[in-house]
Amino acid sequence: MRVSIKISAAILLIVFALGAGSLVWMRNSIGANIWQLASVRSHLPDLHFHMTDDNGKIVTQNDFHGDVVLLFFGFTSCPDECPATLMRLTAVLKQLGKDANKIRVLFVSVDPTIDTPKVLHDYLKNFDPGHMTGLIGTNRQIDTMAKNYRAAYEPRSSESNDIVHSNAIYIFDANGHAERIATPSDSDEKVLNDLKQLMDVP
Amino acid sequence: MNAIHALVPWEPSFVLAFTAIAILTLYVRGCQHIPVALWQKILFGLGFAVLYAATLTQFDYYAEHEFFMHRLQHTLLHHIGPILIILSEPAAPLTAGSPRRLRIYLRKVSHARVMRILMNPAVVTSLFVGLIYFWLIPDVHFIAMLDWRLYRIMNWGMILNGLMFWGLALGPSYRLPPLSTGGRIAIMLTVLPPQIIIGAVIFYASQDLYPLYTLCGRAFGGVSAMADQQIGGLILWIMGSMMSVVGILIVAFRELHNLSQRSSKTSVLLLEYRA
């Protein structure tokens, strides 16, 4: 009995040490101070898709290899959030100047019934068409992508005309590895800072 | 159509599905070999259905995208499901339904030294509280909800630890000297205050502790971030402590029942003696 108490105590200690250790590890992976956005490195899958772009071409992640990718979900008839995010990204890209050429914004439409390539193409002209690509997929493709990135998504239904979708901007490095996640409440400076880190620009 | 759709797993997990099917098969086989009371079958079926619904249906989508639904999921996985299963006393039908080789292996495992340590009340109780706290640390929670591997580990841990804890508290204890009634009540009382405290801390928090849900989108558009967090805190606070109270009532009721049975036996003996 004595021995088993000692061993139990030892196990408890080990469990708590492991808990504390993993906590420190997670903190480090999130909070290293050169970065300002939340890290998702090695926690979310690599960029992977097979969709139609706003020019009607079939594209995959390979077409954007070498670019830092900013991916987010939205739709052209979205009343406020989507245009607001696109406006912000346009402003950020402008501040980057020439370096913006190493960046690609992927706007994944969650409204495949209304958003055709042409509609998307015309919509993106309002922002920064040179650095932005609209993506259209089948319901299933959008579903899979949203699920992979833990993004909430509910399409239009007979009961509700609303589309539930995530506001997050998922940021991938030039090799397609998930790196950071940005929210609408993160300041432009933070986004800018982390994009520069990823592009290795001073 | 909609009802069927609701039962389709949100994220199919083969390990989980296989385990579910295997355990159900063993149980049904066991029921054919040995007599199992109807109430046992009903409790087991309910517990199984609760665990299944919380992990292998569309419920999972809401649990991933609404904090209070996540807390509800954990209440089902950590409390309600395991309690129902343990109360059904499933060990006999499950062993009876197992093939011989598995039965021998199970016996070996249950007699192993590691089990004795793992099932030590102090270890099980600390794990019960520790797991709730650990996964609710904001940074940990953020990553666990995003990374599907950690998410699965978290939910598996909740089910296993739930079965261990409620097995000790309410189960018939096949191994070890079984925990005394006082011991059972003590461990259920021990986990009560920590759950009230963390529930209250989350309920009264003035900032959004778990911004992930805002980030990835909430499943219910009409619920604000703070309301979501407060409902989640209340679920931890009230549901968590309520389960301990229910458990204590069950144990107390059993004890009273035993006492009255024992005393009626003694009085019968006395009467016989007098006669």
Side-chain angles (χ1 to χ4, degrees), chain B residues 92-160:
Chain B
L94 282 179
T95 18
S98 307
R100 221 176 77 84
R101 220 182 270 167
L102 181 63
R103 214 178 308 163
I104 295 170
Y105 179 72
L106 281 178
R107 189 168 310 151
K108 229 184 238 170
V109 169
S110 69
H111 285 253
R113 230 190 138 92
V114 188
M115 279 308 279
R116 183 180 280 254
I117 297 161
L118 267 182
M119 287 303 285
N120 178 299
V123 174
V124 174
T125 311
S126 318
L127 272 179
F128 189 87
V129 174
L131 282 179
I132 296 177
Y133 273 67
F134 178 73
W135 294 115
L136 280 172
I137 297 168
D139 288 352
V140 177
H141 194 76
F142 183 84
I143 294 298
M145 295 305 286
L146 276 179
D147 191 322
W148 66 274
R149 295 159 297 189
L150 289 176
Y151 184 76
R152 297 249 167 105
I153 292 175
M154 169 172 80
N155 285 352
W156 267 104
M158 285 297 162
I159 299 179
L160 293 178

Side-chain angles (χ1 to χ4, degrees), chain A residues 4-146:
Chain A
S4 98
I5 288 177
K6 268 186 198 162
I7 297 176
S8 314
I11 290 207
L12 268 185
L13 262 178
I14 292 171
V15 167
F16 283 116
L18 279 179
S22 49
L23 207 65
V24 171
W25 169 73
M26 285 191 183
R27 267 208 171 277
N28 281 345
S29 74
I30 288 169
N33 45 18
I34 52 162
W35 298 97
Q36 304 203 340
L37 300 172
S39 169
V40 291
R41 189 183 291 165
S42 77
H43 291 299
L44 282 177
D46 291 349
L47 194 62
H48 180 82
F49 62 87
H50 185 95
M51 286 178 164
T52 310
D53 74 1
D54 57 292
N55 290 316
K57 244 179 36 195
I58 302 282
V59 286
T60 68
Q61 69 282 359
N62 295 331
D63 293 294
F64 304 100
H65 188 87
D67 288 346
V68 168
V69 168
L70 283 73
L71 176 138
F72 78 103
F73 300 89
F75 55 110
T76 56
S77 49
C78 171
D80 37 45
E81 286 153 2
C82 312
T85 308
L86 282 170
M87 293 276 265
R88 277 193 53 197
L89 289 179
T90 308
V92 167
L93 288 169
K94 197 171 253 171
Q95 288 190 55
L96 278 170
K98 247 199 213 151
D99 292 323
N101 292 332
K102 296 178 191 164
I103 288 181
R104 177 65 34 184
V105 175
L106 297 181
F107 179 75
V108 181
S109 166
V110 288
D111 191 9
T113 45
I114 292 183
D115 293 349
T116 60
K118 189 175 176 335
V119 171
L120 259 183
H121 192 78
D122 291 344
Y123 181 70
L124 290 176
K125 272 186 194 156
N126 299 317
F127 305 99
D128 186 348
H131 302 110
M132 292 179 176
T133 301
L135 292 179
I136 303 157
T138 59
N139 269 328
R140 203 190 169 80
Q141 286 170 324
I142 301 168
D143 240 19
T144 314
M145 195 173 209

Side-chain angles (χ1 to χ4, degrees), chain B residues 34-91:
Chain B
I34 57 163
V36 180
L38 183 64
W39 65 266
Q40 284 184 294
K41 288 179 192 163
I42 291 175
L43 282 179
F44 185 84
L46 278 176
F48 185 87
V50 162
L51 292 182
Y52 187 92
T55 48
L56 285 168
T57 64
Q58 293 287 312
F59 184 93
D60 211 21
Y61 169 76
Y62 297 96
E64 277 175 17
H65 294 295
E66 195 79 35
F67 179 66
F68 81 81
M69 289 299 278
H70 155 76
R71 283 326 307 166
L72 204 60
Q73 184 185 42
H74 272 202
T75 311
L76 294 174
L77 297 179
H78 206 193
H79 297 80
I80 296 172
I83 290 178
L84 289 168
I85 288 193
I86 291 297
L87 285 179
S88 82
E89 300 180 10

Side-chain angles (χ1 to χ4, degrees), chain B residues 166 188 192 240-251:
Chain B
W166 297 108
M188 285 189 273
L192 212 154
S241 39
M242 211 168 72
M243 291 306 136
S244 278
V245 174
V246 169
I248 291 169
L249 284 177
I250 291 173
V251 170

